Structures are given as structure tokens and as C-alpha cells.
Amino acid sequence: MNSSKISTPQINTPKLDFVFYGGCPSLDLFNTLRRRKDPQHVTEDLLLQQDGLKKWLLKAQHRSGWAELLPPLHPNARNAVVSKDLQTQAIQLRSIIERLLAKDFVPEDIHTLNQMAQLKPYWQLSIEDGVLVTKHNLELESVLGLIAEDCMQLFSSNLCEKIKECAHERCGIVFLDRSNGSKRNWCSMKECGNRAKASRFAQKD
């Protein structure tokens, strides 16, 4: 007697990419945690992929306003594998941002932010043949310094009152609402906004 296996249908989960809807470095870093409010999927940490922090920065320089003016990543950093230590620092910084959002931070978080914000600058001034020149010095460590400084400025100002979470109940993306009248509800109209419209149309039918 032949036995046949019963196949279980597979749920195809689309591969997630980095999104830059936050409007500032610190919120965009926080948004590397995807599906954190989706009960149908486990939370996916995009920083844990190989060279996650470097991939995030390189894509930010093409997709986000805050990163467009940054100098190119130093060739040594571009070609090197992101170290485990640097990955841990990035995740630690993101955890601090998460606690600040929840208003559940501790004094050690403030100390860590102050330390990270002191990392080296992106541009260095030098003299070559009697002429002043600037050279880019963007390392991944200094990107963490940028994010830490942005985080400090964000949560110590009235800007923190403009932080919102996407209105889609399974999204979880956070962003700065700079719209007129603070009427922005979605992380992106192309994604969650369109999904909400489609859902309303389906309910009407």
C-alpha cells in the first residue's frame, strides 16, 4: 500500500528591506526592527544580517534626506566586514532609542549616548602644498556618533512630540510628523496608506 505525504502549504514571506520613513537618523535606525507589532510574523532584525549596519548606511545615502549630504564611506570601511563589536554597539544604540521612545530609559543610557556622540567627525581639514583641503573621514563608528547626537537633540526638544507610530496596526514603523496640522498617519502612503485604502474599498464591496 502506497503512502502519500500530505504537503503543508507554505506562507511566502517577502524579503524585507531597509526603509527610511523616520525623517531622522535615530528613528530610521530604530526602524531596522521590522514586523515588531505583527502577530503573524516574528520580529526581524535587519542589523543582524551580514554587514547590516553598512548596508543600512549605504542605502540611507540614496534614500534619506538626512544622509544625502554625508561624505562617502571611507574605502577601508566600505571594503571591510562589519565587526561583531560594531554591530553590538549599533544594536545597543537602537535599544536606547527604543527605551527613550517608551520613556523607560536609565541613567546609563544617557552616559552611553554622551560617549557615542564624541566619535570622530566626518570631515578633516588639512594643508596640502599650502592649500586648505577637506577630506572625508566617514567611518561606521562616526555614523553611530551622528545617530547618538541626533537622538540627544530629538528627545531633548519639542520635536519628540511629533514622533508618531504608523496607524496600521501591524506595522510599527515610527516617524517624525512634519506635515501641516500634524495629519500624517502612515509610514508611507505607497505602503500602509494604500493598504488602508484597499481595505476600506473591500469593506464597501
Side-chain angles (χ1 to χ4, degrees), residues 74-199:
H74 193 283
N76 291 341
R78 181 182 284 269
N79 297 327
V81 174
V82 176
S83 68
K84 189 69 175 179
D85 182 61
L86 188 57
Q87 181 189 62
T88 300
Q89 289 182 60
I91 292 173
Q92 179 188 23
L93 179 54
R94 187 183 59 195
S95 296
I96 292 174
I97 296 169
E98 184 172 19
R99 289 192 288 273
L100 286 167
L101 286 167
K103 297 181 173 59
D104 191 30
F105 57 92
V106 295
E108 288 78 8
D109 294 334
I110 307 305
H111 177 69
T112 301
L113 284 176
N114 285 329
Q115 282 190 317
M116 285 189 173
Q118 300 304 312
L119 296 174
K120 58 187 177 184
Y122 311 110
W123 296 97
Q124 288 186 338
L125 185 66
S126 62
I127 301 176
E128 294 184 2
D129 298 326
V131 179
L132 288 174
V133 295
T134 53
K135 292 184 177 180
H136 67 79
N137 189 34
L138 185 59
E139 304 281 355
L140 287 173
E141 291 88 348
S142 57
V143 174
L144 295 184
L146 166 73
I147 299 168
E149 183 179 61
D150 174 75
C151 182
M152 293 161 63
Q153 294 174 344
L154 174 63
F155 288 97
S156 64
S157 71
N158 291 335
L159 271 179
C160 66
E161 299 174 4
K162 297 181 178 291
I163 299 174
K164 286 185 177 180
E165 188 173 78
C166 181
H168 194 289
E169 67 276 7
R170 286 167 39 208
C171 178
I173 296 293
V174 297
F175 56 87
L176 274 178
D177 183 4
R178 301 179 186 269
S179 65
N180 292 331
S182 298
K183 295 181 179 179
R184 178 180 169 187
N185 293 315
W186 314 107
C187 63
S188 168
M189 281 304 301
K190 291 181 180 179
E191 295 187 27
C192 288
N194 280 340
R195 282 197 286 267
K197 284 184 180 180
S199 177

Side-chain angles (χ1 to χ4, degrees), residues 11-24:
I11 299 175
N12 293 322
T13 302
K15 180 177 174 57
L16 294 176
D17 197 3
F18 297 107
V19 295
F20 298 93
Y21 303 143
C24 66

